[in-house]
């Protein structure tokens, strides 16, 4: 199986090339910030059109571009441009807070019955849900006749939910096996030793993020938390690059993925085709 990973690129003349950013399954269940924004806009355009056809007013919530949760490495690997400017992105997201619902005022003016009709048009009814299964157990469901369900089916195709969740589960298995591998653990230990040399006593790559999360939860001044976050992220990135962590994790992941079976590979190809089709449709919809 040929494993495709992000290639190296240079951010400017004389600058060191960016390290690889390994993602399981050729990044099939991952979307870049630009891709996520384009898909979001295309899906929301479909939802708005559907709601209008059904006689309802609907406003799309704003898309939070570049959300750390959406773009973070599954192995806590850092990207140079993000780490230098925004640390781990945690303080910035904390300050931004949850996005507001632009439909709140409209719904407040509706009767209880009309609000329920509005929500059924948008999200459908639970008894009509198509269940998506994982290991024989339902993991999510959606009403194909709702505006959200119809917009997603138009953008991604009807097979998308079942394919996506199956590959998301396999992707998580790859991540867990990679993290348990000797190659990953050895690379993480080398990183921890580098951080210790710089005065930071961490054992896990998640520890710096955990520290920032605890500071924010304790109500520490957000500016002080952000300064600490940037300091940690810069040192973290330096040790990741010094120890070749990105490359070591890439190799460990590739070894794990060699055991993926033929049936899963076929499903992966189908998902990649559906993903490419959705990206092409989203780009066409924005022109």
């Amino acid at each position: 199986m040929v494993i495709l990973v992000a290639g190296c690129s240079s951010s400017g003349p004389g600058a060191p090339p960016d390290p690889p950013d390994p993602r399981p399954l050729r990044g099939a269940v991952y979307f870049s910030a630009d891709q996520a924004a384009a898909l979001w806009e295309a899906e929301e355009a479909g939802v708005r059109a559907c709601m209008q056809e059904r006689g309802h007013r609907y406003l799309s919530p704003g898309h939070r571009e570049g959300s750390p949760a959406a773009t973070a490495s599954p192995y806590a690997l850092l990207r140079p441009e993000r780490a230098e400017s925004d640390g781990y992105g945690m303080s910035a997201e904390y300050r931004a807070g949850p996005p507001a619902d632009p439909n709140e005022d409209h719904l407040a003016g509706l009767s209880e019955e009309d609000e329920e009709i509005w929500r059924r048009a948008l999200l459908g009814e639970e008894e009509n849900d198509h269940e998506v299964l994982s290991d024989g157990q339902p993991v999510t469901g959606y009403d194909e006749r709702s505006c959200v369900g119809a917009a997603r089916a138009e953008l991604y195709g009807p097979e998308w939910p079942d394919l996506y969740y199956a590959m998301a589960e396999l992707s998580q298995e790859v991540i867990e096996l990679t993290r348990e591998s000797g190659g990953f653990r050895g690379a993480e230990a080398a990183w921890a030793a580098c951080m210790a040399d710089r005065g930071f006593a961490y054992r896990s790559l998640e520890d710096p993020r955990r520290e920032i999360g605890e500071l924010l939860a304790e109500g520490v001044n957000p500016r002080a938390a952000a300064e600490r976050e940037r300091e940690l992220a810069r040192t973290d990135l330096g040790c990741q690059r010094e120890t070749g962590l990105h490359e070591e994790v890439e190799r460990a992941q590739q070894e794990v993925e060699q055991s993926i079976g033929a049936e899963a590979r076929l499903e992966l190809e189908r998902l990649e085709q559906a993903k490419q089709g959705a990206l092409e449709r989203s780009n066409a919809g924005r022109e």
Side-chain angles (χ1 to χ4, degrees), residues 13-61:
D18 283 349
D21 184 20
R23 305 277 173 165
L25 309 182
R26 304 193 289 252
V29 297
Y30 164 76
F31 295 96
S32 70
D34 288 343
Q35 289 173 338
L39 290 166
W40 171 265
E41 291 175 13
E43 182 179 326
E44 284 297 306
V47 173
R48 289 194 303 270
C50 174
M51 290 292 280
Q52 185 175 13
E53 289 174 2
R54 298 183 186 187
H56 299 289
R57 178 191 176 201
Y58 173 79
L59 299 175
S60 296

Side-chain angles (χ1 to χ4, degrees), residues 3 5 11 44-45 62 85 99 107 143 148 150 158-159 180 188 192 202 208 210 212 217 226 240-241 264 272-273:
I3 306 298
V5 295
S11 57
E44 284 297 306
S85 65
L107 293 177
D143 187 343
V148 169
E159 287 190 312
E180 293 169 2
E188 187 174 48
Y202 299 131
R210 192 173 294 115
I212 299 303
Q240 289 191 17
R241 301 199 74 160
E272 289 174 327
Q273 291 170 2

